[in-house]
Every structure is written in structure tokens, then in C-alpha cells.
Amino acid sequence: MAKTQIDTGRLFAVLEARTTDENLSWRQAAIQIGVSPSLLSRLRYGQRPDLDGYASIVRWLRMSADDFIEVEGDDVAQAGETSLITEISALLRKRRDLTEADKSYIEDVVRASLDHIRRSKAAQEPDDRS
């Protein structure tokens, strides 16, 4: 049976991005989330939060609990993963503080960045034809 667990690294990275974006201390974030600062500290070191704490964190992040669940060896989930640009586009469409032109601009920047990364990786791969 495949092991299912919370990707604490991903959860912490998203949490850190939001606190940085909103210029919050970890203590302020904990108060807003409704959890103890020690829970956030434990999360920083890879320890999993309790169920109630996890639910509070993902709700505060305005994300789904499924966004941070990983299933070890689940090739079906990996094969069906949504492309990054599709995920970003879906997130942007929810934003009311951005105009459609803003959203399109951000998508174009992300798309150009992803194309650059793909080209860079392809140039670094050894040529199998030699």
C-alpha cells in the first residue's frame, strides 16, 4: 500500500511565501491562522502538524488540503498533474485585484520563464547521437 503524507516542505514554503508577502512575523501569522507559534516552528523543521492545525493553515492559505498531500509511488497522480501554467492561470482568474491585462501579462512572463528553463535544460543534456 502506498504511503500518504503531508509534504511539509511544500507547506512550509507556501506559508513562508505568504508571511513574507504580507510582511508578517511568524507570531503574527500564528495568531491570524489560529495556531500556536510552536506549531509553525515545528513545521519549519519538517514535523507534521496535527489535523486541526493543518486544516487551519490550509484554510488561511486559501488552498486545498489536497495541495500538500503526496502519495509515495503514485504514478497515476504524477501522470495526471496539471501543468504549472494551467495552475497559475486558474489562480490568477480568482484574483479580483488584477485586471485581465494584468493576469495575461503575468501568464506571459511565467510562460516565457518556463520556456527559458526548458531550453536551458535541453541545452545542458548530453547529445545521445554522438
Side-chain angles (χ1 to χ4, degrees):
M1 178 180 258
K3 182 177 179 184
T4 302
Q5 62 186 22
I6 297 170
D7 184 339
T8 56
R10 186 177 335 149
L11 179 60
F12 181 77
V14 173
L15 187 60
E16 186 173 42
R18 170 129 183 232
T19 57
T20 301
D21 185 49
E22 294 186 13
N23 199 28
L24 297 172
S25 70
W26 286 105
R27 184 169 299 284
Q28 291 168 321
I31 290 167
Q32 284 187 13
I33 296 167
V35 298
S36 70
S38 63
L39 184 143
L40 298 184
S41 180
R42 289 191 310 271
L43 185 62
R44 170 180 276 151
Y45 295 105
Q47 294 180 3
R48 287 189 285 281
D50 60 274
L51 184 57
D52 291 336
Y54 180 63
S56 296
I57 292 168
V58 295
R59 184 168 185 253
W60 184 75
L61 290 171
R62 296 182 201 104
M63 297 181 74
S64 167
D66 288 342
D67 292 334
F68 303 101
I69 301 295
E70 62 181 14
V71 180
E72 197 174 278
D74 189 355
D75 294 335
V76 175
Q78 291 175 358
E81 284 183 7
T82 309
S83 75
L84 180 58
I85 193 67
T86 302
E87 290 181 23
I88 290 171
S89 181
L91 291 172
L92 287 171
R93 297 298 161 235
K94 293 180 183 179
R95 300 297 301 241
R96 295 189 177 155
D97 60 332
L98 299 172
T99 66
E100 285 303 314
D102 294 338
K103 295 172 188 177
S104 293
Y105 177 76
I106 293 169
E107 285 176 343
D108 290 345
V109 169
V110 171
R111 193 173 285 112
S113 298
L114 291 172
D115 287 345
H116 172 76
I117 291 167
R118 284 186 201 109
R119 284 192 305 275
S120 294
K121 283 183 178 180
Q124 292 173 358
E125 291 178 2
D127 189 359
D128 290 336
R129 293 172 285 175
S130 337

